[in-house]
Amino acid sequence: MNFINYLSQRPKLTQFGIVLIVFFILMSMTGLYHDLIVERHLFAKSVDKGEIQSSVGFAESMSMILNWQLPPQLIRIPELTFYHPVINTSATYILIALLVTAGLLYKSFAESVNKSHWLRVNWFQIISKGFVGIIVGLLFIPTLYNWFFGEVTRSTFWEIPSMLQDFSQYLIFEFWQTPVYDPEIEDYEDYGRVRLFTRAIGATLLFLINLIRELLIGGFETVVSLANIFSDQSGWDWLNENEGKWYASVPAIPWTVLTAGAFILGYKLQGVGLSILAGFSCIYLAVFGQWEPAMQTLSFVLVAAPVSGLLGVTFGVIAYKSRTFERVITPFLLVAQTFPHFAYLVPVIVFFGIGDHAGAIATIIFATPPMIRLTLLGLKRVSPEVLDAGRMSGCHNYQLMFKVLIPTARRDILIGVNQVIMQCLAMAVIASFIGAMGLGFNLLLALNQLRVGQALELGICIVLIAIVLDKLSLAWANKQTDYFADLSFVERNKTALLFVAVFFAALLFAWFGNWVFADTAKGINYFYLIPHNKGITTEPFWQAGVDYMVSNWRAGIKIFNTWLLVEVLMPMKASFLAMPAIATFVLTMGVGYIIGGIRSAIVVGSFMLFIALTPWWERALITMYMLTFAVIVSVFIGTIVGAICVQNKRATKFILLVCDTFQTFPSFIYLIPVIMLFGVTDTSVLIAVIVYAVIPPTRYTVEGLRNVPESLLDAADMSGVTKLQRLFKIEFPLAFPHIMLGVNQCVVFALFMVIIGAFIGTEDLGQEIMQQLFSGGNIGSGLMLGLCVAFIGLAVDHLIQTWATKRRKLLGID
Amino acid sequence: MSDQQPVIKCDSVYKIFGKNAEKMLQDANGKVVAEEFQKAGCVVGVNNASFEVKKGEMLVVMGLSGSGKSTLLRCISRLTDATAGNIYIEGEDLTSMSDKELIELRRNKMGMVFQSFALLPHKTVLENIAFPLQVKGNSTKDSMQRAKEMVDLVGLTGRENYFPRELSGGQQQRVGIARSLAVEPDIWFLDEPFSALDPLIRKEMQDEFLRLQSVLNKTILFVTHDFDEALRLADRIAIMKDGIIEQLDTPANIVLNPATEYVRKFTEDVPREKVLKIKSVMEPVGDEKDFSDLRVSEDAIIETVAEAVLGDPKSVPVLNANDDIVGVVHSSKVIHVLFGENSTLESNA
Ligand SMILES: Nc1ncnc2c1ncn2[C@@H]1O[C@H](COP(=O)(O)OP(=O)(O)OP(=O)(O)O)[C@@H](O)[C@H]1O
Ligand SMILES: [Mg+2]
């Protein structure tokens, strides 16, 4: 009786209990198929071979259920067949579309006061209703007509990827062709305009990247591109003819010049601190023999980051100005938050090929959405009074945007810039999969050869570049001018003059280097360019450390690894796979309902349905299993570490610094040590994931606990609670919503890393994306797989956000 | 004065927020009832406002929160378009101005001060003040020179290179004031400029404001919900309720002859001595010769001179603007104002 009372006071708990009971009942009803679904591919194989049916009729299903056995279509959603929509643009349907539009607009026109005014005021309504009219008239009605009276064609959901692929091929090669003169065959050939367009973009970016790159480390490709433009022979021919001439290649700027420049720039923008950071980072790059790849990466970032920044601000501004545009891009921004890096690469390959420009484009696509989001957020937060003040100062629209709104929103926009730079460097590694050169490429090589030390050095290079660029851009944005200082020409331009002086000094220096190092065996001029991997390295040290660990700890690690795999991971994976689809739906939608009512249930349900309809449901389950394990462990560790560190001021500072550093490290770095210790197993992937994903829960726990209002704590102390009671009874409950946001971030981080884990070898969605990438890219599969991953993330994100918002309101925070 | 053109003239101005505002207003035929509009999903901001402001006059707009003061101000500065009615600035129809003319007007004739200061956070004090000038296209050197003068005028010398976040509220508002004055506007709008400040600073800022006004002599529209402030500053006061201007008159008339029940309630607790001028209690010079040495101006508010007058047993002569003696004031009268029945007093202010 007591128990029932207890439950009736907690309806949510009761609901959750019911959901769980139904879930386990469904889990126990797999019967016949249990052995087929615990292995990822068996069920599909059996269906293919015709050993089992993918779905059975209604009567049979009923009798199966009565025998405590789920029918196959509830265990694994079968391939869905749908009728093709029909588009008809004949005169009749255009007339219908016009009539529909007119009908929709009639009311508004009839009610308007000023008829001549109406057209100007309601242009947007006219466009949107016109759009509805077109959809109804040219698509809906013809489709319905065709379904009932015409010949029906159909295809399945699983064919969508190849349909998308065909469509993209059509778009690239056949759509809207134009003849282009091809010098090779000396004749005109038809090219798709889309292809020409993407080529032009690619070529422009490539030219910019090469230009910067060759200024930094020398080369001849810009010369070739320029020759292509200015002479009628091909650039490479021109180069061959002029070989050896001084203008046939661009000389590099000696690294000493750039280093000195970094010192000066840092000093000019902020002061000694930044100067030292920037300068010594350059020295690190040079001394460790990573100058060339670092400059390759830098040239790539110096193109990608500004472009993303500009695009982001532009779209953000447009979204701020136009509600419609905002509504259109919001879903894209949402999906972009959890869309895995790899999945961006597939469409980029298809449209842009491979190479540095493709890498840059993938990076831009990846780094722009957060910039848009933050710009929009910042602009929306500008107080209306500031806007009024701008207008009363007599700003016209342009001045209002660029002198008032954007600068006032600068805090958020600068966070966006920071994000862009971080994303660019994070992508530097991933972009090397599609041909971007530089540190990322070398890091990948080092990883393949299991060279820990070198990978670490490369990782530090990436982090240093990221931090220096971030700090420099921030300092530049915060610079001040002095209006009343009456300076002479020399004083005003002293930094520029200093740089010019240093420039020539360093050139001279490099020139002397020719003699200084002429006699050494290698003949390398260390004052000019230190070639790749010809600097000092700490690799032997790290290698020795790893060797020591491997040889001394191997036995212990192996036991642990085997135990974890056999006792924990395999059973967990099997039980995830053993979930019949219907049980997964009951569980996720049930939790959705409990947290956010019917709306959340539908949102989460639709995300899951999309995944279940694709051919990759089992892979998605494996992704979910890894995600679940990693998130549980990360959150456990993160909250405990956070809670302990927050007890002490210095520890708090330290842990936040650690979080910052770890977060800037390219995620691939985490893979190396674990592969060495645990081999190519799920353990390796999961440990790498956990190390990476533990950052957000730690940080958010620290922040959440630190921000609990002082007054509440004092009140608690006055009522005489112990420290532990205070932590669990007051601080944790209050900080909980914030910590949950950390969990949310943790899920996103973990998801990205699980997908990257495909590099080690997994059999989840990430692996499939990787396959698409290496097989040249089926754009449809790439996108759909990316969406599957993104939807897992979004489902969790939706649940946690909804819960945290409600909880916050309840606690009266915010 | 009457032959002179009013600087601001409002003619049946309405501002109604909501979707079908225009149509509803047309149907209502000028008779707007706030409740009815509310039911239809519209909010009445300003309801049939008609008034004029003369050159050099300070009109204070008062009312409770949400009564439409800011909306009225925003209509007159055309930060928002009035739903109906005409507004004339120096005889020119504001409502029919093009964007370009409007910008010209704002760049040369108008200045505005905001409750939350609304400074640009990324600019220093100097840059903030110079902003309207730079927007206009003045050279950096000239703008900075002028901005420096304004900094000195509002007493922020030495803080030119501070950022707004490094200043106190009062200092920030000084920057706001300096910015609004940088273009030497003829018309000065102030929307609750001192409400965000604590009482001591507020008093100080009011004094500062009066000092500035005595130097500059601008036409001013000043919004506040603080009656004391209104009394200290106003030439005339407009009291608003639900978008309607209930009464627009001199402070003394508002207190002594409230036009509506609402205004009476509103002014009930206002001490008379804060409103009335010496003029209203002085008597004609009689045959007595034994004047005090003290002299008071006929425009002085009673409160400000009460102590001196009461401290003097003899009657005190009252001077007009030309320093001629136009009457005398007895301490008994002053006592009457300070402690007597309110209703017995008649105003001739
Ligand atoms: N942009 C808007 N959209 C809809 N309603 C508005 C808008 N601006 C103001 N209102 C409404 O108009 C009415 C008058 O607002 P206004 O800001 O003019 O009041 P106020 O007298 O300045 O008040 P306060 O003293 O709080 O500043 C209020 O009911 C307000 O809700
Ligand atoms: Mg207001």
Side-chain angles (χ1 to χ4, degrees), chain A residues 467-503:
Chain A
I467 292 176
V468 169
L469 284 182
D470 181 39
K471 295 264 189 277
L472 283 178
S473 58
L474 210 73
W476 179 63
N478 287 328
K479 220 164 75 73
Q480 263 192 63
T481 22
D482 184 357
Y483 293 99
F484 294 105
D486 200 9
L487 297 174
S488 65
F489 175 80
V490 176
E491 276 171 335
R492 244 181 299 140
N493 298 298
K494 63 173 182 248
T495 35
L497 292 176
L498 181 63
F499 182 73
V500 170
V502 168
F503 181 79

Side-chain angles (χ1 to χ4, degrees), chain B residues 17 43-45 64-72 115 192 225:
Chain B
F17 298 101
V43 178
V44 180
L64 298 178
S65 189
S67 55
K69 310 179 294 287
S70 300
T71 309
L72 180 64
Q115 177 174 2
E192 306 196 28
H225 56 230

Side-chain angles (χ1 to χ4, degrees), chain A residues 487-553:
Chain A
L487 297 174
S488 65
F489 175 80
V490 176
E491 276 171 335
R492 244 181 299 140
N493 298 298
K494 63 173 182 248
T495 35
L497 292 176
L498 181 63
F499 182 73
V500 170
V502 168
F503 181 79
F504 285 110
L507 282 191
L508 218 66
F509 207 52
W511 191 53
F512 282 132
N514 275 331
W515 285 285
V516 176
F517 296 108
D519 304 332
T520 55
K522 295 181 224 152
I524 298 166
N525 181 356
Y526 283 100
F527 291 160
Y528 174 52
L529 259 189
I530 301 178
H532 183 211
N533 285 344
K534 288 290 184 310
I536 58 170
T537 175
T538 53
E539 195 182 352
F541 168 74
W542 297 107
Q543 198 58 46
V546 171
D547 287 346
Y548 173 84
M549 282 206 287
V550 170
S551 58
N552 285 298
W553 299 356

Side-chain angles (χ1 to χ4, degrees), chain B residues 123-148:
Chain B
K123 289 185 182 275
T124 59
V125 167
L126 199 68
E127 289 166 333
N128 258 298
I129 297 173
F131 182 69
L133 298 165
Q134 294 196 308
V135 161
K136 239 164 104 168
N138 290 9
S139 77
T140 308
K141 192 154 169 281
D142 290 349
S143 313
M144 291 305 159
Q145 214 61 50
R146 169 84 185 137
K148 183 78 185 66

